[in-house]
Amino acid sequence: MTQKTPTPEIKAPTPANPAPASLGELFLPKLITVLREGYTLAHLRSDAIAGLTVAIVALPLSMAIAIAAGASPAQGIITAIIGGFLVSLLGGSRFQIGGPAGAFIVLMATTAQTFGMDGLILATMMSGAILMAIGFFKLGTYIKFIPYPVTVGFTAGIAVIIFASQIRALLGLELAVDEPGALLEKLPVLWQALPTVDPLTIAVSAATVLVILGIRRWRPHWPGMLIAVALAAGATAAFNLPLETIGSRFGGIPSSLPWPSLPDLSVERVMMLLPSAIAFALLGSIESLLSAVVADGMTGRHHRSNSELVAQGVANIGSSLFGGICVTGTIARTATNVRAGAHGPVAGMMHAGFLLAFILIAAPLASFIPLACLAGVLALVAWNMVEKHAFMILLRASRADALILLATFGLTIFRDLTEAIIVGFAIGSVVFIHRMSQTTAIESWTPFVEEDQPDSVTSPADGKTSPADQDANILVYRISGAFFFGAAVSIGSVLERIADTHRVLIIDFAAVPFVDSTAAHMIEGLVRRAGRRGLPVIISGASEVVQQSLVAHEITAPLVSYERDLPPAMRAARAWIETHHA
């Protein structure tokens, strides 16, 4: 019989551990990566089409967001041009589109009302420096630890505030006093002004919404927002409609970029605006990285968080030098960029170029755009911002998630966005600690004797050792899970109930990945109390990291002895019993 010669197994070589990336590699813009891969005329064509598509979407949004934030429409377009160009030029994402975002409306409007437009510009510049520091210190990764209910909650809260800020423009109300910023103060003022409602303004804002929704339904690839704004502007100019427009309120849009200039950088001014700048940086880092993650999910690519934050910082500084407002990654425009077939960051740079061309060529036409039309655009933006499906799922998921969601949502609406994020994160951390403490368990058992036993001790039916053969002199406690301050109290209460009948205590750490200072301090107290009772303690199975933590808290000989795992610890315990209780 012929034997088959076994086919030799071919093993792929095990790759060596990759060398750590250099600082230059970690912060290398994705633009350089794309160019190194080879950039062809076909790629340029794809990026040009995508850039034009995004510019068409960004134009009305940038003006609407700037007006809602208390700035001029020109500042919104400048922000999209300067900020959008720098984000794509230097960023760590291939497809990120930077510009003004609806999520910033509340913070920017509050800052502008409190400190003036110069204060808003300075806070934008300061937030850029903070974002650069976050990126250079590689803290971008930690932004991802913000709980999902917090993100959904503050986004929904911002959407409510944005919609409330547009009620006056949607209805054409004439207020007897200045419109308050706080929602609870705003609603009574708007209610009192309801008799001044303007039917023509309502018709324009409603028509804007209907046109956008209709195009989205029947012609989803058409630029619905731009078409609605163009139709409203054309009707206003053709029929000389008595509506408030960009021209009547702001005097139109300049046909060129302003010269760069520095805001007031006095120490007193900087300290006053520091809280606003920190809030801008926190929200900007969250929004931009969320947008980059969305792009990754759509394309299968991977962004570099810290490089992206550095680019966002540079973009905010650049925007402020030209009188612009806050820049961040925009999810809707980034998704549009991907769907339009963009190849890389050149698409974002060209989107900025197309917006610049609009300023240079067609700026006078923007004077006819009615503010009611832009209010309708923002009303839809607010509606789309709310993750309605996710909101309902989180309400049903668990009481803890619902608490985090509603606390963040409520505080965003009625208090402050920064406070909402901090409180939501704090509640989320407490919930996480509670859940982790429940996964940490302790089990006590008395080990079986290892020596050979006669057949009368073991049942031949099942081969199990009878309880009579347990060594009652040795008590073993097995801890499993993360042993940290959240679980230290419950585990400590169990460990303290050591029966006087036992002569050796073994604490098995084989299933413990780490020990924090609270848990180590608890173990130290337990070991010292056991020593005063003459009860030796053996720690088994502790990893190098866990053992280092325990040793750092002076849990060393002669208080305890360490064994690599449980069997050697059992032998050491029996040896001690034989020596001291023979």
Side-chain angles (χ1 to χ4, degrees), residues 21-33 36 86-93 131-141 303-314:
S22 65
L23 191 64
E25 292 172 330
L26 290 175
F27 292 96
L28 184 73
K30 284 290 185 177
L31 175 64
I32 304 299
T33 303
R36 285 177 177 176
L86 292 175
V87 165
S88 297
L89 178 69
L90 303 173
S93 171
L131 281 167
M132 291 182 66
I134 293 174
F136 279 128
F137 284 104
K138 302 179 182 178
L139 301 178
T141 306
H303 72 282
R304 290 190 287 268
S305 300
N306 296 305
S307 175
E308 182 63 28
L309 291 182
V310 170
Q312 296 286 339
V314 174

Side-chain angles (χ1 to χ4, degrees), residues 15 17 35 55 86 116 190 200 242 314 368 502-503 517 527 543 565:
N17 291 330
L35 295 179
L86 292 175
L190 295 174
L200 181 60
V314 174
F368 297 103
H502 299 106
R503 295 178 177 177
S517 57
V527 168
S543 66
D565 51 31

